Amino acid sequence: MKVCIYGAGAIGGWIGAHLAQTGHEVSVVARGANLEALQKNGLQCVQTQGADATLKAKVKVSGQPVDLGPQDLVIVAVKAPAMVDVAQGIAPLLGPNTMVMTAMNGVPWWFFQGFGGTLQGATLNTIDPEGRIAKAIPAHHVVGCVVHASCSMDAPGVVRHHFGQGLILGEPAEQNGQVSERVQQLVAHLQAAGFNASASAQIQKDVWYKLWGNMTVNPISAITGATTDLILKDDLVRDLMSKVMLEAKAIGEKIGIPIAQTPEDRHAVTLKLGAFKTSMLQDVEAEKTVELDALVSGVRELGQLTAVSTPYIDALLGLSRLHARVRGLYPAQ
């Protein structure tokens, strides 16, 4: 395949390096120091599990998507606040059959495209307020991807993979309980590249389940600077997280995505991962804009749409938003 990574940060670089190793023609849209490093040294991925080695891949790189041309697959692996800029620049990469795989956290702009139910086709003002993303990336291009892995950036152009190989893929539009042929083929390519890739008949369920866990631990880590193990070992903080998750669980039931687990079930899963810094804490430490809207504001808006009261979500959003605004990491009111 011709594959373009739009946003060669931690996750995008990790996926791109592996695909390049298995013979795909990988290119990257990058800027600044990342662009310079990729041009000089290629894309590097340090493996810290299993064989301690560094994957090195030569990639075509440009700051202008028009230089790269139409692709078979575009992997969008940016943080949600950057998505509007991506939407404005992505057109030269799209051919009639290009897949746009979104490897991102939180509620995506396409969440209710083809979802069915009372919110079919709904848009969220906190995610895509003017519909610019949806207009730039028509629904038929989109393949959702939920990432279950931890990666970070050692330096521009150098990604470190910590743990996890999970990628769950699916079409936003309903396929009558079936997985589309193109998703099956993409899963096969990713499996061949070493990922634990699987297909989902309703990717929104997988998005919501991941969000149910990280919508609490991410902002709390950003405020406190604590790793996940410390957060979950504090009884008061853990209780707050559970209350937020119960509100989100009620919203999920209203929109047709019930979660059978309890918050304690999910806490136990997170604790097994050990001590790690969330992506939002990494962003705060790097003085990058935080993706609060995709992780928390969007859930609060869903509560308003479904008439579910969200006092704990409101409090978490208010505190984390204020913390970020004071540091210049979230837009002022």
Side-chain angles (χ1 to χ4, degrees):
M1 295 184 296
K2 288 187 67 175
V3 181
C4 181
I5 311 297
Y6 209 131
I11 296 298
W14 170 58
I15 297 174
H18 280 269
L19 286 174
Q21 287 288 314
T22 49
H24 298 287
E25 184 182 332
V26 176
S27 60
V28 179
V29 177
R31 294 189 177 90
N34 219 21
L35 173 62
E36 295 176 7
L38 290 167
Q39 288 174 328
K40 183 178 180 181
N41 303 312
L43 180 58
Q44 301 180 61
C45 179
V46 182
Q47 305 282 87
T48 55
Q49 273 197 337
D52 191 2
T54 300
L55 299 180
K56 296 182 179 180
K58 290 185 177 180
V59 295
K60 185 176 181 181
V61 58
S62 176
Q64 303 298 326
V66 70
D67 295 337
L68 306 175
Q71 305 287 314
D72 298 311
L73 174 67
V74 178
I75 299 175
V76 179
V78 299
K79 296 295 174 65
M83 195 59 225
V84 171
D85 287 340
V86 171
Q88 290 175 340
I90 201 170
L93 303 175
L94 303 183
N97 300 312
T98 302
M99 292 179 286
V100 178
M101 187 179 99
T102 58
M104 300 167 64
N105 280 331
V107 181
W109 79 91
W110 48 258
F111 196 69
F112 291 112
Q113 293 178 4
F115 185 78
T118 58
L119 292 178
Q120 163 66 29
T123 57
L124 298 176
N125 289 328
T126 49
I127 307 301
D128 190 13
E130 298 173 8
R132 285 186 287 175
I133 303 172
K135 291 175 184 175
I137 308 174
H140 70 273
H141 287 292
V142 176
V143 173
C145 176
V146 178
V147 178
H148 290 289
S150 176
C151 300
S152 61
M153 296 293 294
D154 278 3
V158 182
V159 175
R160 181 173 293 272
H161 173 239
H162 298 284
F163 60 83
Q165 298 280 359
L167 300 175
I168 305 173
L169 281 69
E171 305 265 6
E174 290 182 310
Q175 303 289 319
N176 297 317
Q178 303 297 313
V179 175
S180 69
E181 183 178 348
R182 69 174 184 173
V183 166
Q184 293 178 40
Q185 292 174 347
L186 184 52
V187 165
H189 283 305
L190 291 166
Q191 289 174 343
F195 299 103
N196 181 18
S198 60
S200 172
Q202 190 180 37
I203 192 65
Q204 287 92 340
K205 290 182 178 179
D206 303 282
V207 168
W208 188 256
Y209 178 74
K210 182 180 180 182
L211 174 62
W212 192 56
N214 65 13
M215 71 172 289
T216 54
V217 72
N218 266 275
I220 289 172
S221 71
I223 294 170
T224 64
T227 51
T228 52
D229 59 322
L230 297 177
I231 290 169
L232 285 167
K233 287 175 182 176
D234 187 300
D235 291 341
L236 297 180
V237 175
R238 187 167 172 149
D239 182 62
L240 170 63
M241 292 170 64
S242 294
K243 288 182 167 62
V244 170
M245 292 170 75
L246 287 173
E247 291 177 354
K249 185 175 181 179
I251 294 169
E253 290 172 356
K254 286 286 189 75
I255 64 175
I257 308 179
I259 292 176
Q261 288 186 336
T262 67
E264 280 300 321
D265 293 333
R266 187 57 184 270
H267 297 332
V269 172
T270 305
L271 274 172
K272 288 180 181 178
L273 300 176
F276 68 92
K277 292 183 179 181
T278 69
S279 59
M280 194 175 291
L281 176 55
Q282 291 178 42
D283 286 342
V284 169
E285 291 180 342
E287 298 183 348
K288 295 180 179 179
T289 302
V290 294
E291 51 182 353
L292 276 174
D293 289 337
L295 289 175
V296 189
S297 304
V299 180
R300 180 174 185 266
E301 186 176 352
L302 285 172
Q304 294 170 334
L305 289 173
T306 55
V308 174
S309 179
T310 59
Y312 290 102
I313 292 174
D314 294 356
L316 179 62
L317 175 59
L319 289 169
S320 52
R321 189 171 60 188
L322 180 60
H323 169 270
R325 277 181 173 152
V326 167
R327 286 157 179 76
L329 307 180
Y330 185 87
Q333 284 178 305

